[in-house]
Amino acid sequence: MSSSAEKPARTPRNPMDQVSVRRANLALVLAEVRSSGPASRAAVARGTGLTRATVSSLVAELLAYRLVRETEYQLSGSAGRPGLQLELDGRTVAALGLEINSRYLAGCLVDMAGRTVQERRLVLDATAQDADETIHALASLAAELLGHAARSGVHVAGIGVAAPGPVAAATGRVYSAPNLHWEDIPVAERLRAMAALPDSMGIAVDNEANLATLAEWEHAHPGAADLMYVTGEAGLGAGIVAGGRLLRGASGFSGELGHVQVDPAGARCACGRTGCLETKVALPAALRTAAPDLVEPAGERGETPWGPQEQTAELARRAAAGDPRTLAGLDEIGRWLGTGLSIPVNLLNPEVVVLGGYFASVAPYLLPATMRELRARVVAGDAALCRITGSVYGFGAAVRGAAGVIVEEVFTDPARVGR
């Protein structure tokens, strides 16, 4: 029986309430070990407000789920037998992150401590095939990584999918992905069917920029209450953290910065409109401007798989070597990027803007022009200028964020590991 000091304090009135309270307390104990471990059971009891007996019972369950482990620790200068301390384990529990990009598919198995178990990337031109063909290839990639997990004795707690364009996260449907020519595609439903996944395997689908934003915010900028993440590959997406929360909008479709018009006389965009920001600064535009000979479909370039990462690496190499065409082109891209960023910077006043995708690799060559243009356009002047930095994950941010969503779901409800 819990004491009045325990959390939550409400006395369960029926068996379902008891289950809910136990799950909440299980998450409470796991969170305490995650943040304060290694820690003794007594220390966990003090930190959570639960009784030692309750903590011992909950710890036994977490040990069974292999989310925590016991380790002997001897305090410096103390005598006697070392005490048993609890610390986060989770090496045998993982989340599978998947990413659908117009030029590649990616997968990443991440354990509960954030360590990468296995990762794969497949160069694939999704613009040249229909949605079912792309999702079938994604299902094959998922099956490969799930098979690796099973052979390694790792339990996969769920699958997160990063998809381009506006996503109805509650249903796992991609509302629209102009660069892929997708309209209202039930990604979660089709992935489950094509990969023959059991109903117990949860699938969460979200916009790639939102998931990349979560990965960067939680791991590289955890103290930033107001942050914007911008990624540029085939298109341009943005994720926004405002007041310490991911900003989704009324229908979950926020962050479509790439389709803000910046040049009424500009090129036609994949969305059907004219002069969108992504026509000026996304990777295809950068290649046309700075290195036109690198523009070619995803696939083979000689003997090497050729996708956005390879194109970007070559672009960065040329810039580092001082190639005049490359440097002039990236300066032009930086100017348009500053023009586009001035709109959300004036509206939202973020503390930091994180550049992801190909922007992260060539940021040193973009930022001087970006900052010049931004400084000229920010209404409040230098006081409103924000810090702009490159992503720590680069092209891997979205797939890490997809896995991270499942990791956080496990910490919210550890009992799902046992189901």
Side-chain angles (χ1 to χ4, degrees), residues 20-48:
S20 298
V21 169
R22 184 170 181 83
R23 284 183 178 170
N25 285 339
L26 201 63
L28 191 64
V29 169
L30 184 58
E32 181 67 20
V33 174
R34 185 187 192 187
S35 63
S36 303
S40 66
R41 285 169 170 77
V44 171
R46 288 193 299 271
T48 59

Side-chain angles (χ1 to χ4, degrees), residues 30 34 67 88 93-96 109-115 157-160 218-219 400-414 416:
L30 184 58
R34 185 187 192 187
L67 291 172
L88 189 65
V93 180
L96 174 58
L109 278 169
V110 177
D111 73 12
M112 291 301 108
R115 296 169 291 230
I159 299 174
E218 291 171 358
H219 298 286
R400 289 284 306 199
V405 166
I406 303 300
V407 169
E408 292 308 314
E409 286 184 358
V410 171
F411 281 109
T412 300
D413 180 17
R416 66 180 288 161

Side-chain angles (χ1 to χ4, degrees), residues 254-296:
S254 66
E256 290 301 313
L257 180 63
H259 299 293
V260 171
Q261 188 185 63
V262 293
D263 183 7
R268 189 173 182 83
C269 181
C271 73
R273 299 169 181 84
T274 300
C276 292
L277 180 60
E278 75 174 42
T279 67
K280 298 292 189 180
V281 302
L283 181 56
L287 296 176
R288 287 193 301 269
T289 305
D293 62 300
L294 298 182
V295 179
E296 61 179 56

Side-chain angles (χ1 to χ4, degrees), residues 197-219:
L197 299 172
D199 292 340
S200 59
M201 178 69 74
I203 302 175
V205 182
D206 205 343
N207 172 263
E208 59 178 344
N210 282 344
L211 293 173
T213 301
L214 289 174
E216 294 287 340
W217 179 41
E218 291 171 358
H219 298 286

